[in-house]
Amino acid sequence: MSSTPLRHTALDALHRSLGATMTDFAGWDMPLRYGSERDEHTAVRTKAGLFDLSHMGEITVTGPQAAALLDYALVGNIGGVKPGRARYTMICRTDGGILDDLIVYRLGETEYMVVANASNAQVVLDALTERAAGFDAEVRDDRDAYALIAVQGPQSPGILKSLTDADLDGLKYYAGLPGTVAGVPALIARTGYTGEDGFELFVKPEHAVELWQALTKAGEGAGLVPCGLSCRDTLRLEAGMPLYGHELSTSLTPFDAGLGRVVKFEKEGDFVGREALREAAARAEQNPPRVLVGLVAEGRRVPRAGYAVVAGGEVIGEVTSGAPSPTLGKPIAMAYVDPAHAAPGTTGVGVDIRGSHEPYEVVALPFYKRQK
């Protein structure tokens, strides 16, 4: 048991006043749900949901060589990101193992914001600080400088438009721009982890309650509801989005995770893990690793992370994430399976749920794609 007290976001008292069920998530006391997980999930898919994501780890990198440092420290081509745009990337160890998956925002010519998962924020901060040696760049821990509120779902653009004069129509997916929302200065980013259109708003912690309340009021007629971590997990699972500690870990390279596309060998200069990742890429071509697939249950039993995937009495893979899917109305899972059983439509595949081999259909990811 860790004796470290849980960290609280700026919205902690507000969550409790809304009757949220709280849970320890990566050392933070976070809302798991406010009422029904299914209702929260459905609201995001059909209307809109409001999330507190202030547990995410913001790290600012500034200075003349900020881009060069990030190109060396991360696997992506960060110097090629235009100001106002964002990129999904990863930070790896020298052996190619994934330390975390990240979103990097280019805020200005020499200023970037790296957003790490809550569970890895310190690891990422330490790695970037260490890798900054010799670069004319500063790495700053800005975790306490921001609260992060997300509004996600098909109604989110309309809700946000009523509170800002920022050009939301011109804001592309994976872009961010400074603006004011309900009078609060914010970085408005069109990113999210739900499979829906939506926005993430980075603001000072002291403005978080005011912004949450303004969004809640603006969303009253649009079906906006507060949402917890539980439905965030089922939403990202339906959208086929990986979660660190489940689909991604230090024991996997991006090529093992089917995300080799984030590794940019063509960028100039060396980067941490380049050699190991080149070998991993060659290995994946010669001898394909297990493939991340979707599994849809034929029955009602829910698969969980760590359960064995079986075919013909043999173990052919492992479930990484599983849950009942509110959208599909059936249990679903993501799993790494042997390539021979990875093609969508493969039959005879099951999940070992407490000794019983439950039948599953192999499908292509994602399970759910929003209508544009």
Side-chain angles (χ1 to χ4, degrees):
M1 278 294 289
S2 162
S3 56
T4 315
L6 288 179
R7 299 182 69 175
H8 297 274
T9 78
L11 293 160
D12 185 70
L14 196 146
H15 298 316
R16 290 168 199 281
S17 74
L18 292 171
T21 300
M22 306 296 283
T23 188
D24 172 0
F25 186 81
W28 289 83
D29 205 10
M30 297 298 292
L32 188 62
R33 71 182 79 80
Y34 298 85
S36 147
E37 291 163 20
R38 177 177 289 272
D39 290 351
E40 290 172 25
H41 180 109
T42 305
V44 176
R45 284 277 176 260
T46 59
K47 294 176 180 137
L50 192 57
F51 296 83
D52 178 8
L53 304 179
S54 304
H55 60 312
M56 299 295 280
E58 295 87 4
I59 301 160
T60 304
V61 180
T62 55
Q65 290 190 300
L69 161 60
L70 290 169
D71 275 339
Y72 168 70
L74 312 179
V75 300
N77 178 2
I78 308 304
V81 177
K82 292 184 169 65
R85 297 307 303 262
R87 179 139 316 156
Y88 176 78
T89 186
M90 293 183 183
I91 182 166
C92 291
R93 302 193 305 195
T94 49
D95 68 358
I98 302 166
L99 282 173
D100 201 11
D101 62 334
L102 312 163
I103 294 180
V104 180
Y105 296 90
R106 186 167 193 172
L107 303 180
E109 206 47 52
T110 59
E111 185 180 5
Y112 295 81
M113 181 166 66
V114 177
V115 181
N117 285 297
S119 53
N120 296 327
Q122 191 62 49
V123 169
V124 173
L125 178 68
D126 292 345
L128 285 175
T129 304
E130 191 181 308
R131 294 172 190 187
F135 288 94
D136 186 3
E138 184 201 346
V139 175
R140 191 172 70 231
D141 179 1
D142 268 347
R143 283 176 287 181
D144 293 335
Y146 291 102
L148 177 55
I149 295 174
V151 53
Q152 298 277 305
Q155 297 291 332
S156 57
I159 293 167
L160 200 55
K161 270 181 194 170
S162 70
L163 295 174
T164 183
D165 53 11
D167 177 20
L168 297 187
D169 291 336
L171 186 64
K172 295 186 174 77
Y173 186 51
Y174 265 72
L177 86 174
T180 50
V181 181
V184 168
L187 171 68
I188 305 166
R190 198 165 208 153
T191 41
Y193 194 50
T194 61
E196 297 300 334
D197 191 11
F199 302 88
E200 295 183 320
L201 308 170
F202 295 86
V203 298
K204 286 183 173 169
E206 58 265 33
H207 294 146
V209 171
E210 177 190 344
L211 180 59
W212 180 284
Q213 289 172 335
L215 286 162
T216 300
K217 195 163 171 34
E220 271 171 5
L224 176 82
V225 302
C227 293
L229 290 174
S230 190
C231 83
R232 182 171 150 88
D233 192 47
T234 51
L235 289 159
R236 71 94 196 165
L237 177 54
E238 287 184 351
M241 294 177 169
L243 174 63
Y244 196 89
H246 289 257
E247 288 72 40
L248 308 174
S249 71
T250 50
S251 63
L252 296 171
T253 72
F255 294 95
D256 298 321
L259 291 164
R261 64 179 182 276
V262 304
V263 181
K264 304 299 181 190
F265 291 118
E266 68 277 12
K267 66 179 173 176
E268 281 179 29
D270 194 17
F271 62 90
V272 177
R274 181 193 273 271
E275 216 35 63
L277 288 167
R278 211 177 259 300
E279 286 166 21
R283 212 167 40 241
E285 219 157 280
Q286 295 294 311
N287 181 19
R290 283 182 164 177
V291 181
L292 190 64
V293 300
L295 298 174
V296 178
E298 290 177 23
R300 309 301 312 161
R301 297 184 73 185
V302 179
R304 297 294 180 198
Y307 285 12
V309 181
V310 292
E314 300 286 314
V315 173
I316 55 141
E318 187 177 297
V319 171
T320 52
S321 296
S325 162
T327 306
L328 275 64
K330 296 173 178 179
I332 59 171
M334 287 201 276
Y336 282 112
V337 303
D338 294 343
H341 296 87
T346 301
T347 53
V349 171
V351 174
D352 185 339
I353 301 182
R354 297 194 185 89
S356 158
H357 291 185
E358 300 288 326
Y360 274 75
E361 183 194 351
V362 178
V363 299
L365 290 169
F367 299 96
Y368 166 86
K369 253 197 179 115
R370 73 182 169 98
Q371 302 301 307
K372 291 282 192 277

